[in-house]
Amino acid sequence: MEIAAAVASGAVAQNARTYHRVTDLRARGEPFTWVLGGALCLGIVMIVGFLLLVLWNGFLTFVPRPVAVVTTTAGKVSAGEVARTDTFRPAPDALAKLAPDAQEKIKKAEGFAGRTLYRIGNFDLYSEDFRWIDDNEIKSTEYPKNIVYVERQEWGPFIGTVKAITLDGKPAEGTDFSAPAVASAYSEALARGKRVREIERDEIGNVNHEVERARLAVRKAELKSGRDSQAYKDAAAHFEQLSVDSRGEYERLTAEVQRLRSINDKFTVTFAEIGGREKTVPMVNIVRAYMPNDLSFAQKVGVYFSRWGEFLISEPREANTEGGVFPAIFGTLAMTLLMVIAVAPFGVMTALYLREYAKQGRLVAFVRISVNNLAGVPSIVYGVFGLGFFAYVIGGSIDQLFYPERLPNPTFGTGGLLWASLTLALLTVPVVIVATEEALAAVPRSMREGSLACGASKWQTIRNIVMPRALPGVMTGIILAMARGAGEVAPLMLVGVVKLAPELPIDGHFPYVHLERSFMHLGFHIFDVGFQSRNSEAGKPMVFVTTVLLITLVAVMNAAAIIIRNRLKRRFVGSQF
Amino acid sequence: MALATATASASTAQPVPQSLHFDDTVVHVKRGTQGVVLDIKNLDLFYGASQALYGVNLTVEQGMVTALIGPSGCGKSTLLRCINRMNDLVDNIKITGSLSLHGENIYARGADVIALRKRMGMVFQKPNPFPMSIFENVVYPLRIDGVRDKNILQETCERALKGSALWNEVKDRLDQNALGMSGGQQQRLCIARAIAADPEVLLMDEPCSALDPIATAKVEELIHQLSGTYTIVIVTHNMQQAARVSDNTAFMYLGRLIEYGDTEVIFQNPLAQRTQDYVTGRFG
């Protein structure tokens, strides 16, 4: 307005007010820069804070902590690790019973008192794992050196002292674990325990597997040729024969298990809890025992890493709150890789048709919007679809066609690794399509024209020029899809993830890869341990450790994909000029 | 005054006013004695509703370098891209009239576009080597034809690179990525690729506009060497370049072919007023 006036009055310059151009703070946009920077900072703080919380808790979980022996004013003695502390407001009648100085202290703190949660273990004796103790009731806290912290195969940790050690039914001298006789007896007991598991799981498993196969062959022959056919009679005879044969084998193996078990029963350790009650534990059930108040730094490090090792390579126990997560790691990796194998070609082909071949019109625009909207559908809906379509319809049909002898037990007709991967592939396919389309659109027109001008057909141009050039962008899409897929839990609960799946999808029985099997998944493991277990307080640290592991796994898979992408970029994109 | 009207209408891309009357194309005697390669008759081209080429009639002589000059937006690139049907990639395009290569109408119904393009080579404004090795770039036309014979590929590569005066510079690094070359080398590589399969016509769309003067000189020298062997149609913005490299020149203006003939005549004794104004630098 002012400018217009100044220009208009240019003819009568002597009367015109001189116009000074100004640039104020608003025009410079500095406040806005601060807002933008602030938004970024907030984001970084949240992400870094979250990561720090997870990493801190996750990496500290396995550190061996000292065990405190707490005596209350009422004379009750408890021994346990400090789990956490908090403040609470004591009830008035409880407050009245306290000592006068304690009452005074609480009054000063505006009615709040402190309390500490101890992990006291010994669930088999106490029927509780954790105990709250008010700070005001504590008479004394000690850290006796002879306290032992024992991780067991059953019933969770035991905290107490060693009373006696029995080797081969005879009491051993002393209560020292590190005595050579005890140590070697312990490792022998463990070896026997391992042998028992081997026999039970592998050898008896093999026998059962053979018998089951023979039974299925009978059923198959019956379905195919009828009960009167020769094939059926042969199969039935074979099954009878095998049943008889295997019974002997089975009995031999169970006898061996019995023998080993009875030997192991003679090697025991008797512990006493802090109140004096005794508990005898077979050596084979002891996973790890240490004296938490008498550990050197090196011993602490040793316990820490031995716990990590157990966590990474062994199977879960104690309703998943203890032990390892190897099946879950394996399941997560296998599912994500299968998902990528399914989603990459499918998404890329779809995007190629949409971008390169389809006539860009209303229909294509509509398809594109629909694809984008698919990314916004709640993932549980995909889970329901996966269960209904993949498992029940397709899987059910596969069972009818190829595994009729196993019915009514479903083979593919229920949730499993394959269906979970396909469901996630469906869930993430929009990401791949959108990224691929963008990558295709970003291939310079000049390159396509160069190829077409050489007399290449459209397909040759796409295959030789466009696709290599678009590959880094496609990889970006696959990375995003992988990150989303590996972290997804809700749909998996419907299509094949279970709380405990001791059988891995790969084993020694033909056809070696069993995509129809249900599996474990780290994401579901977090949910299960944190919120579904009997002992959520004990599961909580595992939530953090498993989260650390899942984040690491996703980060490693992404890093691998990014490295591949950068290689491709260097090779195919390069620099113009 | 007429000049002012013309520039104004060009810059605003309005329909040509009735007062601005176009004469028929002025055609001089052309150089070239070996016959006609390309014969363009009454070519009209529409981008949707707007017309870009108006009844162009042009014949390209065998073995000659034919330059298309004219101000921006006059349709010279569009005309060039009609010759190998590159315009087919554009949506909403309509072409009428005929364009024959050695007497064969390339816009005939059922004409095989891919076979047609295999008979032509094209060099673009910006060098567009493919993200592969130098060797693979040059033999790309043969690769897509399915040639696997190592000897043939190597011979072709050497011949094409020698033809584009690049052999001595790259003979030791044929397996390196072409994207690592300089701009001028990249453009000569594109020329090598265009001549690798012995095209009947070589189309060049402002091949030097993205190059520095030294690289430009090299490419021009190359065009000189190629003339006689190949029939070349070159679009250029640079009138000196047209004068230097071409045998025949066509001047286009607002989608029409104004004057066409021997380069010397076009630059020294043009008949049409607009040609005169353009080549003397009064507009454009």
Side-chain angles (χ1 to χ4, degrees):
Chain A
M1 209 58 208
E2 275 174 321
I3 300 175
V7 171
S9 61
V12 280
Q14 61 270 40
N15 295 338
R17 187 167 58 86
T18 317
Y19 173 72
H20 289 291
R21 302 205 60 192
V22 291
T23 308
D24 65 6
L25 202 59
R26 251 179 327 169
R28 290 188 198 280
E30 251 161 54
F32 203 64
T33 320
W34 300 332
V35 171
L36 299 182
L40 177 67
C41 283
L42 192 67
I44 290 177
V45 164
M46 286 197 291
I47 292 168
V48 171
F50 166 74
L51 280 180
L52 278 182
L53 176 81
V54 168
L55 293 179
W56 177 261
N57 281 297
F59 281 110
L60 285 190
T61 298
F62 290 148
V63 173
R65 269 166 295 187
V67 169
V69 174
V70 180
T71 316
T72 61
T73 44
K76 199 172 174 191
V77 184
S78 320
E81 286 181 339
V82 174
R84 63 192 162 98
T85 58
D86 83 13
T87 56
F88 74 115
R89 200 185 277 276
D93 53 331
L95 195 63
K97 281 184 215 155
L98 288 175
D101 56 328
Q103 286 191 26
E104 195 60 35
K105 219 167 94 190
I106 292 171
K107 216 175 255 171
K108 261 192 199 150
E110 294 175 349
F112 283 101
R115 58 179 177 173
T116 307
L117 183 68
Y118 288 92
R119 176 168 205 183
I120 52 170
N122 309 4
F123 189 81
D124 39 352
L125 298 180
Y126 302 158
S127 304
E128 60 178 350
D129 260 328
F130 289 83
R131 184 178 292 163
W132 282 109
I133 299 176
D134 294 358
D135 290 350
N136 293 309
E137 288 176 358
I138 296 177
K139 201 167 90 188
S140 69
T141 304
E142 288 162 42
Y143 294 91
K145 297 243 188 246
N146 65 341
I147 290 283
V148 191
Y149 187 97
V150 186
E151 289 169 39
R152 299 178 290 179
Q153 293 282 3
E154 292 157 357
W155 298 108
F158 189 95
I159 295 172
T161 51
V162 183
K163 209 76 197 167
I165 299 175
T166 312
L167 298 182
D168 204 10
K170 294 184 269 295
E173 283 181 30
T175 56
D176 187 6
F177 269 141
S178 53
V182 179
S184 68
Y186 177 53
S187 59
E188 277 164 23
L190 283 188
R192 279 190 293 269
K194 198 174 161 208
R195 178 79 191 119
V196 166
R197 268 202 307 284
E198 261 171 35
I199 293 173
E200 283 183 332
R201 199 172 61 186
D202 300 340
E203 294 179 19
I204 296 185
N206 282 346
V207 171
N208 288 341
H209 185 79
E210 284 302 314
V211 174
E212 174 68 5
R213 256 181 53 189
R215 190 189 69 77
L216 289 175
V218 175
R219 177 84 179 120
K220 199 169 188 175
E222 183 186 347
L223 285 173
K224 201 172 157 197
S225 335
R227 268 176 177 278
D228 304 325
S229 68
Q230 189 59 39
Y232 171 74
K233 282 171 189 153
D234 288 350
H238 177 68
F239 173 57
E240 284 302 320
Q241 184 61 38
L242 201 70
S243 307
V244 174
D245 291 353
S246 66
R247 200 163 298 138
E249 177 73 4
Y250 182 79
E251 270 159 18
R252 190 184 67 74
L253 290 170
T254 25
E256 174 70 5
V257 168
Q258 279 303 327
R259 189 183 68 81
L260 291 170
R261 283 225 169 108
S262 65
I263 297 175
N264 263 353
D265 283 344
K266 291 180 194 157
F267 292 84
T268 60
V269 181
T270 305
F271 298 101
E273 54 96 31
I274 201 74
R277 273 187 285 173
E278 291 187 2
K279 174 85 187 173
T280 302
V281 181
M283 267 187 175
V284 70
N285 277 359
I286 297 175
V287 177
R288 191 180 292 104
Y290 60 89
M291 303 196 137
N293 299 335
D294 194 19
L295 283 181
S296 68
F297 180 73
Q299 282 169 322
K300 275 187 185 171
V301 171
V303 170
Y304 181 74
F305 282 107
S306 108
R307 278 174 169 174
W308 264 110
E310 185 198 359
F311 181 68
L312 291 178
I313 59 168
S314 66
E315 285 172 11
R317 54 192 161 82
E318 300 274 328
N320 291 357
T321 57
E322 302 276 340
V325 291
F326 179 73
I329 298 176
F330 187 89
T332 310
L333 270 178
M335 187 208 67
T336 312
L337 291 181
L338 272 178
M339 179 199 82
V340 168
I341 290 171
V343 78
F346 183 47
V348 168
M349 287 193 288
T350 312
L352 267 179
Y353 189 84
L354 266 184
R355 175 61 61 181
E356 301 288 333
Y357 286 102
K359 196 169 154 52
Q360 304 295 319
R362 263 189 213 169
L363 184 64
V364 168
F366 178 72
V367 169
R368 198 166 281 145
I369 289 172
S370 309
V371 166
N372 288 350
N373 283 345
L374 271 186
V377 174
S379 53
I380 191 77
V381 175
Y382 284 97
V384 175
F385 176 80
L387 182 69
F389 180 69
F390 289 133
Y392 291 163
V393 175
I394 296 185
S397 310
I398 291 176
D399 280 1
Q400 295 276 344
L401 286 172
F402 300 107
Y403 303 101
E405 72 277 9
R406 297 193 191 187
L407 288 172
N409 289 340
T411 309
F412 277 97
T414 182
L417 183 58
L418 180 65
W419 303 140
S421 306
L422 289 185
T423 305
L424 280 193
L426 208 61
L427 177 88
T428 51
V429 82
V431 182
V432 177
I433 292 179
V434 170
T436 307
E437 272 215 76
E438 274 168 21
L440 290 175
V443 175
R445 208 188 144 92
S446 66
M447 291 233 172
R448 296 162 195 266
E449 288 187 341
S451 171
L452 290 170
C454 284
S457 67
K458 191 165 188 172
W459 169 242
Q460 285 174 320
T461 301
I462 289 172
R463 212 195 55 204
N464 296 326
I465 307 296
V466 176
M467 267 323 283
R469 176 78 191 218
L471 260 186
V474 176
M475 285 297 292
T476 306
I478 291 173
I479 292 168
L480 289 174
M482 238 162 65
R484 168 130 200 241
E488 197 63 71
V489 177
L492 297 180
M493 298 202 283
L494 299 179
V495 289
V497 164
V498 289
K499 183 185 171 77
L500 188 64
E503 282 184 310
L504 292 181
I506 292 179
D507 66 13
H509 296 305
F510 182 81
Y512 311 117
V513 178
H514 305 272
L515 296 181
E516 80 282 3
R517 278 191 188 160
S518 50
F519 62 106
M520 290 178 73
H521 184 271
L522 284 174
F524 182 74
H525 195 80
I526 292 172
F527 170 69
D528 179 59
V529 167
F531 304 99
Q532 301 286 293
S533 66
R534 159 185 76 77
N535 195 343
S536 70
E537 199 67 58
K540 216 158 73 177
M542 295 300 272
V543 169
F544 284 110
V545 186
T546 314
T547 309
V548 168
L549 196 62
L550 182 56
I551 291 177
T552 314
L553 204 66
V554 172
V556 165
M557 284 195 285
N558 276 359
I562 287 170
I563 289 169
I564 295 173
R565 181 183 66 186
N566 291 350
R567 289 242 171 104
L568 291 172
K569 226 184 220 165
R570 265 205 299 282
R571 184 153 155 227
F572 291 119
V573 180
S575 59
Q576 296 272 37
F577 293 92
Chain B
M1 212 54 221
L3 185 72
T5 328
T7 38
S9 67
S11 62
T12 51
Q14 292 293 314
V16 183
Q18 209 59 50
S19 61
L20 198 81
H21 176 71
F22 281 98
D23 299 321
D24 284 340
T25 309
V26 182
V27 181
H28 301 274
V29 179
K30 289 164 289 176
R31 281 196 218 162
T33 53
Q34 299 170 35
V36 172
V37 176
L38 271 170
D39 189 3
I40 302 171
K41 280 192 188 126
N42 271 326
L43 193 75
D44 288 325
L45 184 142
F46 302 84
Y47 288 121
S50 68
Q51 192 167 1
L53 292 177
Y54 295 84
V56 174
N57 284 295
L58 184 83
T59 54
V60 173
E61 300 289 331
Q62 172 81 46
M64 294 290 112
V65 178
T66 304
L68 300 177
I69 61 168
S72 295
C74 70
K76 52 193 190 304
S77 281
T78 304
L79 179 60
L80 188 80
R81 293 162 65 88
C82 281
I83 298 174
N84 68 347
R85 293 190 61 170
M86 233 30 188
N87 284 329
D88 291 12
L89 304 180
V90 183
D91 290 338
N92 265 331
I93 204 156
K94 206 183 104 195
I95 296 166
T96 61
S98 81
L99 206 160
S100 329
L101 175 68
H102 286 302
E104 197 181 312
N105 186 5
I106 64 176
Y107 279 100
R109 199 175 282 270
D112 184 348
V113 182
I114 291 171
L116 165 79
R117 289 187 187 138
K118 284 186 177 167
R119 296 164 66 185
M120 301 184 175
M122 187 166 191
V123 180
F124 294 81
Q125 198 166 346
K126 252 177 87 178
N128 56 352
F130 303 136
M132 333 166 162
S133 70
I134 294 172
F135 178 80
E136 286 299 327
N137 259 282
V138 177
V139 301
Y140 184 75
L142 277 71
R143 283 267 188 228
I144 56 178
D145 289 351
V147 177
R148 292 253 174 85
D149 189 326
K150 275 257 165 71
N151 294 327
I152 295 179
L153 291 174
Q154 267 157 7
E155 273 168 33
T156 308
C157 176
E158 186 172 341
R159 183 177 48 76
L161 284 173
K162 278 181 175 158
S164 66
L166 199 59
W167 177 249
N168 287 332
E169 291 166 58
V170 300
K171 65 181 171 198
D172 300 325
R173 51 182 182 119
L174 290 176
D175 56 341
Q176 282 180 21
N177 198 320
L179 298 176
M181 305 165 88
S182 75
Q185 286 176 326
Q186 288 188 357
Q187 192 63 307
R188 278 181 286 148
L189 179 70
C190 292
I191 295 174
R193 186 174 71 197
I195 62 177
D198 264 325
E200 292 167 36
V201 184
L202 187 55
L203 308 172
M204 299 180 139
D205 189 358
E206 300 191 34
C208 301
S209 67
L211 303 183
D212 65 63
I214 295 169
T216 302
K218 279 193 182 160
V219 172
E220 282 184 12
E221 172 63 29
L222 179 59
I223 294 172
H224 254 302
Q225 287 169 13
L226 295 175
S227 74
T229 322
Y230 296 99
T231 306
I232 300 175
V233 182
I234 177 170
V235 166
T236 176
H237 227 79
N238 180 329
M239 278 179 285
Q240 284 78 24
Q241 184 174 63
R244 282 195 298 264
V245 302
S246 69
D247 300 301
N248 295 317
T249 298
F251 171 63
M252 293 183 69
Y253 183 64
L254 292 181
R256 287 171 171 84
L257 182 61
I258 304 295
E259 194 161 355
Y260 179 42
D262 190 324
T263 300
E264 261 175 49
V265 179
I266 296 287
F267 279 94
Q268 282 158 21
N269 298 308
L271 279 180
Q273 182 62 39
R274 268 182 215 94
T275 318
Q276 174 95 44
D277 292 343
Y278 185 72
V279 298
T280 52
R282 252 176 263 167
F283 82 100

